[in-house]
Amino acid sequence: MDTMYHSEVASRIGRAYQDLSLGHRRIADFILRSPAEAAMMTNVELASRCNVSNATANRFAKAIGFKGFPEFRASQMDALRMDMAAVEKLRTEIDDDASNIDIMRNGLTQDLDNLQNTLDGLDEASCSHAVELILDAQRIFTFGSGISYYIAGMLTHGLEPFCRGNVTMMGATGGANSAYRRLVHCNENDLAVFISFPRYSPNTVELCGVAKRRGARILCITDSPTSPVARDADVVLFAEANRRLLPNSATSAFALVDALVAAIANQSTDGADVQLRLAERYMPDISKISGKDPDGS
């Protein structure tokens, strides 16, 4: 079961699950089902709750890659604090005296700041590498969860005309399971694009790892170098996503995707011809103005 935020424990469980014993799987299932409750438990309480021995609970931590139960529990608590931070942020930021227009203006001002910080954070090497990976890829797979799903959709829509139609948005109909079925066929000639913002989806983190193991190139769009998807990426583009009253803002991410598509259109060898062919559908006489026949000759 997917948790609402990225958890190192959840990621390690996912990687180790097939090799876990029956008792360890019982603990794993409980943690994934009730991460907040599990995070508050001692080893004795966890063992009792899952109907296993204390020794089994202690060994579970090592079975999924931690040095021991204390490190395992500390990781759970870190993830829980991340999840609660959004709730606490909302509680402390609410201003009962502010008018609706004040809140809306303030939100737009924050988005302008995010856009400026995103712009300031761009670097030539990363931008060039991202464009190169996209144009060189035999196939491109995109994935995002939550609000990132819509950002991935916008990127897919924008890239399709300039990438020989070989752009697929994974998970559009079947979620993470459908995405996984596509990724098992990817290879070093392909590019996987993952978009992830707080609260980072464990599905996105897991799928990013799958693509890495399959040898695909990886482009990530996220908010911070500490993002869990950044570590597996060949190149990362950062979009600032700070926002009062909300966990994050997607405005700069949408703008960054739009800018990336513009760069692809500019660098694509047949970018101008593609734009012309697209325009001809709505303005059939445009070919006469451009001096080209409708068949492109």
Side-chain angles (χ1 to χ4, degrees), residues 106-129:
N106 185 264
L108 290 171
T109 299
Q110 292 170 65
D111 279 335
L112 288 173
D113 289 340
N114 284 336
L115 285 166
Q116 186 61 57
N117 290 334
T118 298
L119 175 61
D120 293 342
L122 288 177
D123 69 275
E124 175 65 29
S126 295
C127 293
S128 296
H129 195 187

Side-chain angles (χ1 to χ4, degrees), residues 23 26-28 30-31 33 41 45-52:
R26 195 176 300 163
I27 296 173
F30 171 68
I31 291 171
R33 185 173 61 251
M41 290 181 170
E45 292 168 335
L46 183 62
S48 176
R49 180 66 176 76
C50 298
N51 295 315
V52 298

